[in-house]
């Protein structure tokens, strides 16, 4: 084979400083293929110097001693006739024309009169060094340095390595390749002498548990597998050997498993207890299947939330990935590594640099630009490569190959090593809740998922029931009842009946009415005034004042006033004509529409809120040439037309008005409706029971076309707050998620719309809010909302709506006093999310409670139990003791930071039940 004077790629630039690195896909792939094909060992052996480059707009005159590769992106820049002249002069011209690197190299060798006959693995290593050389030259210029590379030393080592490859001397080839990479690394150290970090993030799903994942485990660089516990369980059941291989590599610290969820749930829409339960079960599954739990939290799907850091820190995670890889928005951060601070002040290290796509050739054409930006801006320079098993670019393989010889661009590490070894960030990053914008509603619509609203509401209804059942079951066990059988579903009513059975007998069908009493139980930790429904449905509701986690025994024959006659309605009762009023609020129902014309409170002249039902559809877009119009201004809303408005309950305790009618767009009836508004004595909340029967279903974008409950207020300057992870957070978003409440803070008054688990709401202008009821795919037609006035503690009001009091008819007994409590919290902005008995040697000896501060302000409060507490401690969610709590006279003293979620373990003075 003849020797050649020059190997060159023709590039569309004037210098390497202006090389266009913005190409993606096949264009980027072709440019890199034409460059690195010239580094094939047999090609290098045919030339006395390393490959170089020439300008496409003024290439040199071709001759028979030169070899040129021409990527497709350079074609348009070549002078007219240059290719024809080059071929006439006998120059070896190889155009890309969609060819791969291997095909281009073969064509070059064929043009030289030789056939490739080399060991392919080491040949690929030499080509990878060629790719690294290009990126090193680009990186030095990106970092505003001239090249400091020892060209002679580097060239001699590369040519020696190529010769060793051709001679099939693997050991010698590796020696020279290592030396060549060391020369590149020394040049990089001149302008960036500190460590850079490279992270391989391999995404694993049930569809990738095959040979592609097995091949990925053979990588020469440390790996990080992102997967859920469900995916891991699937792998363990179908390929135990592959799961065992992952376990071995994790033990050898050449691989890390990151994640934590059983399945990636819809944060932040679901209850916080569901999130904690999912992460706890996930950790148990990982420990069972792989011997240990992930130390680094990560999720692929949308769903980061501002309240996550305290949960992760208290589950003893060492770090977290503050990014996701599908729709939705999360706040960016200037630094790759930071301290992610939660709503309560808890913090843990987080990697915030969004990964680059390891499957796109454009990523590796622009590699120097991406790494240079990290080196310029980052306190800890980091680059993350995300890909599915077997779905990475060949140029990523080059980067991994060259990294096996030395850290020329940084060190590939596991995420566990990264968080343990890289420098600690010098700043805290606390991101407002508004900056996390999930895309679940639009995703549900695109995927045709059923019940996108009610499925979330059902989760919150179930959570409220679970909290109530856990409280009453715990009290029952502490009072001597047997533990529930594991696996049996617990309901608040079942727990209430078990508890009632400790002191009284259930009412038999033939019981004397004079001997019947109602045991009314409050399953929540806050005191309240609430209407109680007759379990048999025979009597009208009666209002009962209940202590938190307490009870009251009432006589239904005496305590319930009789309905007030029409002739007396102007003097007594809650309802007067179309107005419902008690000592805290008045509600005026519009007789024409059935909507709530106004909700007023004492000492406020204007209306606090108004409400109506509506169907919204998007109006026609502007015609070409017309000015842009806000979609909210183009939206078309239906109007309500009442057919009947009647009073259905009017007693000294409770008043109720029911409106029935139609929703009309133009002259078209789009739905029938029933709206039932209820007010009761002493209550600062009214309830709205809504039924909508659509005759026309919403279509298209669920944020633009829907049935909704519309609320309006007078003050344009009112602040909007919402519950996020049970913590009050300010809100300026136009589209918001709030499964518990949306609060309107005016200068002197606060009101809260209690959403009953319905998650999605849209602000329209500065004074209106639509709570979405029916969107495409939604089948629920009945809804319960609430409106709280003087809403200083809206989370407590929201839970009251979700968890009504429980009634157990009992026979008259002297064993129970008229009222009492079992647990007492004296902070209204602290709510219990879970209770369970503490067992010592199988006997109940105390209790475990999880308590959360809900209003975003620190508080000191006391927790009392119906038996004196001897000792108490605060533990994290992994069970590790954080602090011994102060106990005075059997009462636990608690100090909460804003938004803190605390787990308390308390032991009684005596382990015998009272």
């Amino acid at each position: 084979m003849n020797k050649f004077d020059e190997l060159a790629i023709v590039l569309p630039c004037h210098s390497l400083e202006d090389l266009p690195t913005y190409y993606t896909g096949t264009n980027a792939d072709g440019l890199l293929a034409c460059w690195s094909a010239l580094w094939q060992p047999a090609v290098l052996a045919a030339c006395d110097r390393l490959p170089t480059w020439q300008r496409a707009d003024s290439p040199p005159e071709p001759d028979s001693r030169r070899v040129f590769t021409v990527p497709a992106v350079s074609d348009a820049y070549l002078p007219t006739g240059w290719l024809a002249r080059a071929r006439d002069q006998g120059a070896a011209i190889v155009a890309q024309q969609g060819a791969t690197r291997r095909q281009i190299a073969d064509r070059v060798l064929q043009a030289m009169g030789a056939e490739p006959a080399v060991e392919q693995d080491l040949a690929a290593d030499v080509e990878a060094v060629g790719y690294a050389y290009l990126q090193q030259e680009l990186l030095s210029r990106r970092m505003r340095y001239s090249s400091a590379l020892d060209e002679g030393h580097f060239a001699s080592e590369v040519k020696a390595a190529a010769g060793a490859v051709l001679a099939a001397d693997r050991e010698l080839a590796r020696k020279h390749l290592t030396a060549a990479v060391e020369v590149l690394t020394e040049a990089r150290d001149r302008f960036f002498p500190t460590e850079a970090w490279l992270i391989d993030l391999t995404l694993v799903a049930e569809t990738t548990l095959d040979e592609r994942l097995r091949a990925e485990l053979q990588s020469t660089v440390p790996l990080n597998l992102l997967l859920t516990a469900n995916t891991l369980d699937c792998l363990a059941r179908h390929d135990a050997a592959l799961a065992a291989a992952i376990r071995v590599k994790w033990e050898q610290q050449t691989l890390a498993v990151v994640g934590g969820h059983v399945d990636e749930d819809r944060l932040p829409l679901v209850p916080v207890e569901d999130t904690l339960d999912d992460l706890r079960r996930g950790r148990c599954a990982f420990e069972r299947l792989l011997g240990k739990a992930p130390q680094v939290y990560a999720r692929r799907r949308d769903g980061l939330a501002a309240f996550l850091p305290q949960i992760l820190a208290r589950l003893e995670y060492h770090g977290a990935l503050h990014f996701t890889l599908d729709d939705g928005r999360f706040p960016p951060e200037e630094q790759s590594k930071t301290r992610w601070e939660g709503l309560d002040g808890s913090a843990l290290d987080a990697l915030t640099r969004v990964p680059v796509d390891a499957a796109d050739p454009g990523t590796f054409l622009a590699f120097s630009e991406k790494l240079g930006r990290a080196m310029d801006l980052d306190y800890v320079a980091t680059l993350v490569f995300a890909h599915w098993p077997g779905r990475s670019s060949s140029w990523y393989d080059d980067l991994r190959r060259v990294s096996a010889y030395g850290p020329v661009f940084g060190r590939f590490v596991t995420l566990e090593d990264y968080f343990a070894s890289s420098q600690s960030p010098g700043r805290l990053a606390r991101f407002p809740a508004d900056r996390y914008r999930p895309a679940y509603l639009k995703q549900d619509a695109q995927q045709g998922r059923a019940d996108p609203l009610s499925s979330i509401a059902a989760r919150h209804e179930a959570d409220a029931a679970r909290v109530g059942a856990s409280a009453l079951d715990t009290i029952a066990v502490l009072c001597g009842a047997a533990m529930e059988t594991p696996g049996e579903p617990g309901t608040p009513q079942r727990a209430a009946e078990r508890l009632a059975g400790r002191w009284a007998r259930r009412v038999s069908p033939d019981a004397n009415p004079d001997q019947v009493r109602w045991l009314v139980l409050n399953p929540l930790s806050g005191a309240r005034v609430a209407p109680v429904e007759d379990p048999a449905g025979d009597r009208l509701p009666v209002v009962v004042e209940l202590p938190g986690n307490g009870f009251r025994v009432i006589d239904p024959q005496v305590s319930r006033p009789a309905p007030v006659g029409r002739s007396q309605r102007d003097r007594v009762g809650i309802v007067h004509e179309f107005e419902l009023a008690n000592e805290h609020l008045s509600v005026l129902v519009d007789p024409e529409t059935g909507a709530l014309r106004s909700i007023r409170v004492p000492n406020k002249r204007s209306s606090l809120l108004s409400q109506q039902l509506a169907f919204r559809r998007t109006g026609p877009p502007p015609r070409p040439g017309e000015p842009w119009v806000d979609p909210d201004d183009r939206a078309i809303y239906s109007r309500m037309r009442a057919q009947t408005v009647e009073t259905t309950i009017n007693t000294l305790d409770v008043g109720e008005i029911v409106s029935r009618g139609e929703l009309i767009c133009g002259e078209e009836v789009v739905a029938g409706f029933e709206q039932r508004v209820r007010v009761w004595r002493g209550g600062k909340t009214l309830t709205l029971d809504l039924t909508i029967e659509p005759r026309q279903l919403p279509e298209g974008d669920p944020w633009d076309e829907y049935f909704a409950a519309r609320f309006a207020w007078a003050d344009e300057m009112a602040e909007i707050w919402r519950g996020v992870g049970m913590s009050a957070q300010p809100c300026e978003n136009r589209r918001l998620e709030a499964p518990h409440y949306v609060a309107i803070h005016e200068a002197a008054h606060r009101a809260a719309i209690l959403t009953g688990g319905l998650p999605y709401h849209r602000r329209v202008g500065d004074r209106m809010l639509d709570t979405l009821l029916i969107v495409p795919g939604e089948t629920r037609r009945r809804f319960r909302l609430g409106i709280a006035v003087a809403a200083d503690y809206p989370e407590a009001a929201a839970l009251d709506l979700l968890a009504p009091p429980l009634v157990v008819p009992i026979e008259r007994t002297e064993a129970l006093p008229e009222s009492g409590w079992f647990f007492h919290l004296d902070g209204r902005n602290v709510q219990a999310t879970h209770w369970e008995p503490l067992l010592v040697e199988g006997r109940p000896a105390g209790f475990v409670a999880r308590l959360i501060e809900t209003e975003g302000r620190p508080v000191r409060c006391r927790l009392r139990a119906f038996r004196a507490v001897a000792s108490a401690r605060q533990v994290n969610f992994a069970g590790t003791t954080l602090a011994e709590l102060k106990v005075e006279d059997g009462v636990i003293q608690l100090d909460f930071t804003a938004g803190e979620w605390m787990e308390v373990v308390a032991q009684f003075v005596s382990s015998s039940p009272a």
Side-chain angles (χ1 to χ4, degrees), residues 439-713:
Y440 298 128
L441 182 56
K442 187 167 287 189
Q443 289 175 342
D444 288 346
Q446 292 170 345
Q447 297 167 16
R449 198 169 286 156
D451 295 326
L453 309 185
S454 60
S455 60
I456 299 298
R459 296 279 293 273
H460 287 274
E461 292 163 359
D463 181 69
R466 180 202 53 77
V467 175
S470 73
L472 298 177
D473 272 330
T474 297
I475 295 166
V477 170
L478 296 178
C479 290
M483 292 286 290
E484 281 275 54
T485 304
E488 287 190 9
T491 65
Q493 189 63 40
R494 176 183 172 88
E497 291 169 1
R498 291 181 69 232
L499 181 57
R502 299 301 303 158
W503 303 285
R505 294 173 55 188
R506 291 293 310 275
V507 174
S508 60
D510 56 350
N512 183 347
D514 293 336
Q515 298 298 314
V516 173
R517 298 292 183 269
W518 286 359
L519 175 63
V520 185
L521 291 156
N522 180 8
L524 300 179
S525 53
R528 56 173 155 169
V529 177
V532 174
E533 302 286 348
D534 182 355
D538 297 332
R539 298 184 175 90
L540 295 173
V542 61
V543 171
V544 180
E545 296 182 25
L546 293 167
N549 287 130
F551 66 90
R552 184 172 296 275
V553 179
I554 64 173
D555 182 347
Q557 305 297 317
V558 175
S559 302
R560 188 183 310 277
V564 178
R566 287 183 178 272
S567 61
Q568 298 175 321
R569 190 173 294 172
D570 58 343
R571 293 189 294 108
V572 291
I574 298 293
V575 180
H576 174 64
E577 294 185 346
F578 298 105
E579 182 180 26
L580 302 99
N582 65 13
E583 56 269 51
H584 299 296
L585 60 91
S586 66
V587 182
L588 183 61
V589 179
D590 190 310
E592 300 296 324
T593 66
L596 303 189
R597 182 185 296 175
S598 68
I599 302 171
R600 298 177 183 272
V601 296
N603 303 318
K604 181 173 171 46
R605 297 180 63 184
S606 62
S607 172
L608 193 64
L609 278 175
S610 61
Q611 175 273 340
Q612 62 178 313
L613 298 175
F615 174 65
R616 170 185 165 130
R617 59 163 61 122
T618 303
R623 295 178 180 178
E626 292 183 348
W628 178 86
V629 179
D630 189 308
D632 283 345
D633 293 334
R634 292 191 285 110
I636 300 170
Y637 283 92
S638 67
R639 68 183 189 276
M640 295 174 70
R641 181 172 65 191
Q643 294 170 325
T644 63
V645 177
E646 61 178 334
T647 299
T648 53
I649 300 176
N650 188 21
T651 72
L652 295 175
D653 269 8
V654 178
E656 181 180 89
I657 294 178
V658 178
S659 307
R660 297 181 178 90
E662 298 170 329
L663 301 182
I664 301 172
C665 277
E667 298 302 320
E668 179 187 6
V669 177
V670 295
F673 75 85
E674 178 184 280
Q675 176 162 293
R676 189 179 298 267
V677 56
R678 178 179 289 190
V679 172
W680 55 91
R681 171 178 53 83
K684 297 181 180 180
T685 297
L686 64 92
T687 58
L688 286 169
D689 288 288
L690 311 172
T691 301
I692 297 178
E693 295 297 342
R695 300 185 188 179
Q696 175 180 326
L697 293 175
E699 298 177 348
D701 189 334
W703 283 108
D704 286 332
E705 188 162 324
Y706 49 75
F707 287 93
R710 303 202 75 199
F711 299 90
W713 53 94

Side-chain angles (χ1 to χ4, degrees), residues 71-92:
V73 293
S74 296
D75 288 345
Y77 296 87
L78 290 171
T80 302
W82 183 82
L83 285 174
R85 291 198 309 275
R87 292 190 177 96
D88 291 342
Q89 296 295 326

Side-chain angles (χ1 to χ4, degrees), residues 177-191:
L177 286 171
T178 300
V181 171
E182 287 177 353
V183 176
L184 292 174
T185 305
E186 289 172 3
R188 190 264 293 173
D189 286 343
R190 298 288 182 90
F191 58 81

